[in-house]
Amino acid sequence: MASISIIAIKGNYLDRASEIFEAFKYVDLNNDKQFNSWDKSTDYLYNNYSSFSKIDIALREIWSDNGWTIICDPEMVDLLDDNAIVALAKKLNAVVLTFLVQTTSVTYWFAKYNPDKQRHFVSTDGQISENFGPPLTEEQGLTINGGVFEDDIIQLAHKFGVNLEANDP
């Protein structure tokens, strides 16, 4: 896994996708594409998001799994917008989690909002650059320090019921 950038919202909010994306100042053009396999969806997203972004169109993958609405943010920008995520958590009255694994820059990140930011951890190249809030119960048994690795973030997501290695949306 080279990189993954995920926003997970507790509950199924697929019917409110336009509202979700408005929180990030996107306008839903209602030109959705649906795929019957994870591979086809991911291939489309990663083969097209760069060309679409050049014409100011942001592509996002959104699905529901195990009681969570999951948004894939290939540009790794939406999960940086604390204000939008807090507003979204408040609007939906839902827990929102963010996860980032970027192995090229050796960056590992997670955050929990309920509705305000309760926990935020970032490690880049073995250095902790953010360690906000007390450790969560779900962090127990994981290496959430400067030695964090992608497996720790994947396991943390699993403890919440979020599958960062999904095969089918």
Side-chain angles (χ1 to χ4, degrees):
M1 175 183 308
S3 66
I4 190 163
S5 176
I6 294 291
I7 298 170
I9 307 164
K10 186 66 176 163
N12 184 339
Y13 295 98
L14 292 179
D15 61 339
R16 296 176 70 182
S18 290
E19 287 178 74
I20 291 169
F21 293 123
E22 284 171 5
F24 299 99
K25 298 184 177 40
Y26 297 126
V27 175
D28 187 350
L29 300 176
N30 295 311
N31 192 13
D32 300 338
K33 291 194 178 293
Q34 294 186 5
F35 299 89
N36 59 8
S37 82
W38 179 255
D39 291 338
K40 288 179 183 176
S41 176
T42 301
D43 285 348
Y44 182 85
L45 179 70
Y46 285 97
N47 289 331
N48 291 285
Y49 83 86
S50 181
S51 60
F52 275 91
S53 70
K54 290 177 185 172
I55 56 173
D56 293 327
I57 295 176
L59 290 182
R60 298 293 180 265
E61 207 167 17
I62 182 171
W63 69 99
S64 180
D65 182 47
N66 197 30
W68 291 87
T69 299
I70 313 289
I71 302 164
C72 180
D73 172 19
E75 297 164 323
M76 297 181 238
V77 296
D78 297 338
L79 60 78
L80 301 174
D81 192 341
D82 273 336
N83 293 333
I85 295 171
V86 167
L88 185 61
K90 287 179 179 179
K91 181 175 197 160
L92 299 176
N93 193 30
V95 172
V96 178
L97 305 173
T98 62
F99 300 98
L100 175 72
V101 172
Q102 215 301 316
T103 56
T104 305
S105 66
V106 196
T107 300
Y108 306 101
W109 154 317
F110 72 89
K112 179 180 180 184
Y113 301 79
N114 188 18
D116 295 315
K117 183 168 33 175
Q118 295 183 337
R119 179 80 170 115
H120 187 202
F121 178 87
V122 181
S123 173
T124 302
D125 203 20
Q127 300 297 314
I128 298 170
S129 56
E130 178 83 26
N131 195 6
F132 173 82
L136 304 171
T137 304
E138 292 83 0
E139 295 177 51
Q140 291 179 4
L142 301 175
T143 305
I144 305 299
N145 56 40
V148 68
F149 190 66
E150 73 182 83
D151 291 345
D152 297 298
I153 300 299
I154 290 168
Q155 288 176 32
L156 178 62
H158 275 280
K159 286 185 174 190
F160 281 103
V162 176
N163 184 1
L164 297 184
E165 301 175 302
N167 292 320
D168 290 304

